[in-house]
Amino acid sequence: MEVTLGFLAQLVGGQVLGDSETPITGAAPLPAACPGVITLVDRPERLPQAVRSGARAVLLPENVEPNGLPAIRVRDVHRAFEKIVSFFRPPRSRQKVGISPLAWIHPSAKLAEDVDVYPFATIAEDVEVGPGCVIHSGVHILAGCKIAENVTIFPNAVLYEDTIVGPRCIIHAGAIIGAYGFGYLPENGHHRLAPQLGNVILEADVEVGAGATIDRGTYGPTVIGEGTKIDNLVLVAHNCRIGRHNLICGQVGIAGSVTTGDYVVMAGRVGIRDHVRIGKGAVLGAMAGIMNDVPDGARVVGIPATPEREQKVKQAVLSKLPEMRLELKRLQAKIAELEARLSQVVSGRSESASSRD
């Protein structure tokens, strides 16, 4: 498919800079940009890379100059680029499949009329599934689960008993919701599994990444707040209460009974110990080890995590350790030399005093 730059500008409501008849054959992000395509430049420092890529045109925000390349200037580059990419590569429309005869559904389960259940999904007793839901192949929904409207559950995800899923949630492939928490009680020299009498509640618009695990509560629920997005391979342990609109990146591990405020961001591989509270709007840097409560709005990094500014000072000092080590050795040598001289002076004075006696 080939269109003009002017056509794309009309599509996204942007301003053409250069020749509006420039032919465009596709769209690609900057690392994959090549001749013939339009690419995205959202910051001035990325423009030289776009020039080197041979891209035929660029999509620019209002504060970036095109540097001679044909361009489209828009207010929101990411939303505009989404439209352009979707034009060249339209997303596949979901086909209605109804309820496959190869799915196993318990007679007591209640499914709304407008539900798709793919082959080899299993839906146990007393499950409720709302309208517009899509249950893909290999999904296992155990007894007593309640699933609201327009939920999508991708292949091989498992919902343990009594899981509650709010409207418009997305649960990606291989996610496990409601597994037993990692809690044991010592008894006669053995580890006895603690009670697993709670469940998991996903509030509206939650997204759970592929391979992520959310453990059920011991007595009450583990709760994931409205609008929270959980990346792949994340663990949320038992009894946690995650606030609204949190962003939890890949490989984060959250121990039991952690609570978070709204709009918390956890970067990749953050680890949080049990019973810690993370304040509203806090940002936890990549690989931070959280050992204590984090105040509202704080930005912390490092192991153990400390305020970002403090950690930067520490890292700056650490980078100078080799230089400081050499300086310390030089000072030690100088002190040893001064001590030797002082010893000689003292010894000489003692000898002079003895000769006078």
Side-chain angles (χ1 to χ4, degrees):
M1 183 188 302
E2 181 176 290
V3 297
T4 66
L5 191 64
F7 172 86
L8 294 178
Q10 239 180 352
L11 177 70
V12 299
Q15 174 193 3
V16 175
L17 304 174
D19 184 3
S20 63
E21 295 301 313
T22 301
I24 306 295
T25 57
L30 197 50
C34 59
V37 306
I38 185 169
T39 191
L40 165 72
V41 172
D42 55 1
R43 295 202 294 272
E45 59 268 25
R46 293 183 172 176
L47 193 59
Q49 186 180 350
V51 174
R52 290 194 302 271
S53 74
R56 189 161 287 164
V58 289
L59 189 69
L60 299 174
E62 294 175 341
N63 64 331
V64 178
E65 294 301 321
N67 197 19
L69 282 174
I72 300 173
R73 177 167 283 157
V74 292
R75 179 170 295 177
D76 187 337
V77 287
H78 291 282
R79 184 158 297 210
F81 198 60
E82 178 185 339
K83 285 184 181 179
I84 292 173
V85 171
S86 296
F87 171 77
F88 283 108
R89 297 193 298 277
R92 290 181 180 273
S93 57
R94 181 171 68 84
Q95 301 297 318
K96 296 294 293 179
V97 299
I99 298 175
S100 169
L102 296 177
W104 184 87
I105 301 173
H106 193 276
S108 66
K110 297 177 182 177
L111 278 62
E113 291 184 6
D114 184 26
V115 169
D116 289 334
V117 182
Y118 282 71
F120 310 114
T122 63
I123 299 176
E125 62 268 26
D126 301 322
V127 168
E128 296 179 12
V129 180
C133 289
V134 180
I135 313 298
H136 282 271
S137 296
V139 169
H140 295 277
I141 303 176
L142 304 188
C145 292
K146 312 294 182 194
I147 300 171
E149 68 272 13
N150 299 314
V151 170
T152 299
I153 307 178
F154 283 98
N156 300 318
V158 178
L159 276 60
Y160 279 60
E161 293 90 344
D162 301 315
T163 295
I164 297 174
V165 180
R168 299 175 302 281
C169 287
I170 299 172
I171 300 172
H172 286 280
I176 310 295
I177 314 295
Y180 290 176
F182 194 70
Y184 296 88
L185 304 172
E187 189 175 274
N188 300 324
H190 298 276
H191 299 297
R192 178 174 70 83
L193 184 66
Q196 304 293 324
L197 305 176
N199 65 338
V200 172
I201 299 174
L202 306 183
E203 295 182 353
D205 300 303
V206 167
E207 186 164 354
V208 179
T213 302
I214 302 172
D215 292 345
R216 68 196 306 110
T218 305
Y219 298 111
T222 297
V223 179
I224 309 298
E226 174 187 344
T228 285
K229 311 301 181 185
I230 297 175
D231 198 0
N232 303 336
L233 301 175
V234 166
L235 167 65
V236 180
H238 58 280
N239 302 329
C240 287
R241 301 187 76 89
I242 305 301
R244 298 178 306 126
H245 306 292
N246 283 203
L247 293 175
I248 304 177
C249 299
Q251 298 186 17
V252 166
I254 304 175
S257 301
V258 167
T259 61
T260 74
D262 299 338
Y263 297 99
V264 169
V265 177
M266 304 180 198
R269 298 184 70 184
V270 164
I272 305 178
R273 61 156 287 179
D274 59 294
H275 293 84
V276 163
R277 183 188 181 280
I278 310 299
K280 179 179 179 180
V283 177
L284 316 181
M287 298 182 69
I290 309 299
M291 307 300 291
N292 299 298
D293 292 351
V294 176
D296 292 354
R299 301 175 67 91
V300 299
V301 294
I303 305 173
T306 55
E308 185 177 46
R309 182 176 177 80
E310 181 182 325
Q311 194 68 225
K312 284 181 178 179
V313 171
K314 288 180 180 178
Q315 293 303 316
V317 171
L318 283 173
S319 70
K320 294 180 179 179
L321 278 179
E323 177 186 332
M324 292 168 68
R325 179 173 174 269
L326 291 174
E327 180 66 12
L328 177 61
K329 290 182 117 182
R330 189 186 70 78
L331 290 172
Q332 286 175 328
K334 189 68 175 175
I335 289 169
E337 179 187 340
L338 291 171
E339 285 178 338
R341 287 183 183 178
L342 180 61
S343 178
Q344 287 176 355
V345 169
V346 171
S347 176
R349 286 179 178 176
S350 298
E351 288 175 3
S352 175
S354 296
S355 65
R356 286 198 300 270
D357 291 343

